[in-house]
Amino acid sequence: MPTNSSCLTQHHWDIFCTVVDNYGDIGVTWRLAKQLVAEYNIPINLWVDDLLSFSHILPKLDINKAQQSFCGVNIFQWNNPLDIEFKSGGVVIEAFACELPSQVKDQIEQLHHHSDTHAPTWLNLEYLSAEDWVDGCHGLPSSQPNGVTKWFYFPGFSAKTGGLICERDLFNQRDEWQADPKHKLALFKQLGLQGINAQDTVISVFSYETEALTALCHLWQASPTPVHALIPKGRSLNSIQSLLPCAIEDLIPGQQFIIGSLTLHILPMTDQNGFDRLLWSCDFNIVRGEDSFLRAQWAAKPFIWHIYPQEDDYHLVKLQAFIQIYCDNLAPEIATTWSEVNLAFNQGNTNAVVMHWQHLLSVNLPLMQHAIKWPINALNDADLASRLVQFVNNS
């Protein structure tokens, strides 16, 4: 543990999370909370408004229990107004601009105006973006109407941002896992997936609805070699309902459907460690949101990022910003092919996504080599938790 964290461990931190898109927001905050406890010994209270969605990535969570603890993190049901006593610690984090409960803001204000007490550092943890403006906005103070300063903390890919969530030993664990094919085959067996051989192409799919996925599945059906698409129950399946022999709600994890060279496997939900290992075990990953997007990068495998659609196609601006930095050191033909696949998938362009996917196969080796190097470059010498602790110490 870094010595500069010692002044922080005397007080707990509170993190508030409103679950917006099922798993993305809570996925990020849960990973951060666990890492702060494990690597910095900081007591964490995680306040969550939707325990049901949370339980999908933390299966042992009791959705009927208002207070419980896992991985050293205290998890509280966040009802509005709060029906659990709030006692301020050293830091209060509102994840992704969620509105803090009035009791919390009142307590921060009271502590701020008492000179003999220490008010907590108030942070807004923002969404991850690769856009240029993030460098200038990270760490800016905002004076609230009550006179308290709130700080804006922006994750990002440059050294001027708040960094990226990455546990200290993650890359070593990944490399050890990927060094032996028996690990992935054992995982597939554990998940109830049958008929996958070590040399088969395995693709994980965790996307929003898009006709681009339908088009790719039709392409994979005609593949000269076996293709396995691993899909959990959820929004991805809405795109391929026509390929399924039954309604989506009737599907059971472990079921598989063979359509030509393509085998569709229905995945059970898994916890975050299991999801990481799944990404490590596939040849290609299609992911969505923020948490899965970053974990796909850490998996050191080629991927498609299905970004959350926004008004006026602003999500494509965010996608282009990431494409620009991800492709910075790639040869032009490889960069063009990978970026066009991502754009076509996000635009739902069926003809383009099929064409560019076929081109992708011809550049698979250099793209794979790039995917392996990328995590080290993206981390920029310091992860988000490390930078966050330092930021709090300096604020």
Side-chain angles (χ1 to χ4, degrees), residues 28-308:
V28 171
T29 50
W30 176 228
R31 286 194 194 275
L32 176 61
K34 288 186 293 183
Q35 188 181 359
L36 289 170
V37 170
E39 298 182 11
Y40 290 91
N41 200 32
I42 299 172
I44 299 293
N45 294 338
L46 178 58
W47 303 77
V48 183
D49 71 336
D50 181 358
L51 294 184
L52 178 59
S53 290
F54 192 0
S55 69
H56 292 149
I57 60 173
L58 180 57
K60 294 181 180 179
L61 189 71
D62 185 343
I63 63 172
N64 298 309
K65 198 171 181 181
Q67 302 182 43
Q68 49 204 302
S69 181
F70 293 95
C71 303
V73 177
N74 299 313
I75 299 171
F76 296 151
Q77 169 73 58
W78 172 9
N79 293 324
N80 200 2
L82 284 184
D83 48 16
I84 299 173
E85 181 185 7
F86 175 80
K87 188 173 183 180
S88 177
V91 175
V92 174
I93 297 175
E94 53 181 36
F96 314 119
C98 67
E99 184 73 19
L100 290 180
S102 57
Q103 300 101 306
V104 175
K105 289 190 286 188
D106 290 346
Q107 195 170 129
I108 293 174
E109 180 180 6
Q110 291 168 8
L111 291 170
H112 175 77
H113 291 302
H114 283 75
S115 58
D116 58 339
T117 58
H118 177 72
T121 302
W122 182 4
L123 299 168
N124 177 21
L125 176 65
E126 292 282 355
Y127 288 102
L128 171 63
S129 178
E131 295 170 276
D132 291 341
W133 60 263
V134 170
D135 286 7
C137 292
H138 170 63
L140 290 181
S142 173
S143 182
Q144 303 301 295
N146 58 13
V148 180
T149 297
K150 177 167 67 173
W151 302 88
F152 288 95
Y153 195 93
F154 281 86
F157 293 89
S158 82
K160 296 179 181 178
T161 67
L164 304 165
I165 293 179
C166 183
E167 298 81 4
R168 191 174 293 159
D169 198 40
L170 183 69
F171 293 170
N172 289 334
Q173 294 175 14
R174 178 204 64 203
D175 293 345
E176 183 179 336
W177 179 274
Q178 293 179 340
D180 192 336
K182 73 180 181 184
H183 291 133
K184 69 176 183 180
L185 295 177
L187 175 66
F188 297 152
K189 183 177 179 180
Q190 177 190 334
L191 294 172
L193 312 181
Q194 300 177 353
I196 304 178
N197 298 313
Q199 70 276 15
D200 292 349
T201 299
V202 182
I203 302 167
S204 76
V205 181
F206 185 55
S207 66
Y208 302 111
E209 294 85 352
T210 174
E211 292 182 2
L213 178 59
T214 318
L216 285 179
C217 283
H218 286 306
L219 176 66
W220 297 336
Q221 288 175 235
S223 170
T225 56
V227 177
H228 300 265
L230 316 185
I231 311 178
K233 289 188 71 171
R235 298 179 65 172
S236 300
L237 289 171
N238 294 333
S239 303
I240 57 170
Q241 173 70 77
S242 62
L243 300 177
L244 302 171
C246 62
I248 293 173
E249 55 267 25
D250 295 330
L251 294 172
I252 301 170
Q255 276 185 296
Q256 63 182 52
F257 307 98
I258 300 175
I259 314 164
S261 297
L262 171 64
T263 303
L264 298 173
H265 298 265
I266 308 303
L267 276 173
M269 285 300 296
T270 182
D271 61 11
Q272 288 186 323
N273 288 337
F275 184 66
D276 283 338
R277 284 164 175 73
L278 176 69
L279 297 177
W280 299 348
S281 301
C282 294
D283 300 289
F284 198 99
N285 296 302
I286 300 176
V287 293
R288 73 184 200 213
E290 178 173 326
D291 181 59
S292 303
F293 162 57
L294 191 54
R295 304 316 279 199
Q297 294 173 60
W298 295 163
K301 295 293 182 70
F303 64 96
I304 286 174
W305 178 26
H306 197 191
I307 190 170
Y308 187 77

Side-chain angles (χ1 to χ4, degrees), residues 356-377:
H356 294 301
W357 180 274
Q358 291 172 310
H359 291 163
L360 200 65
L361 299 177
S362 66
V363 297
N364 184 63
L365 182 58
L367 184 60
M368 182 67 199
Q369 292 170 337
H370 176 72
I372 292 171
K373 295 175 183 176
W374 168 255
I376 300 299
N377 297 332

Side-chain angles (χ1 to χ4, degrees), residues 12-37:
H12 72 268
W13 291 17
D14 291 282
I15 303 176
F16 286 83
C17 175
T18 299
V19 180
V20 177
D21 180 35
N22 293 331
Y23 317 117
D25 296 0
I26 185 57
V28 171
T29 50
W30 176 228
R31 286 194 194 275
L32 176 61
K34 288 186 293 183
Q35 188 181 359
L36 289 170
V37 170

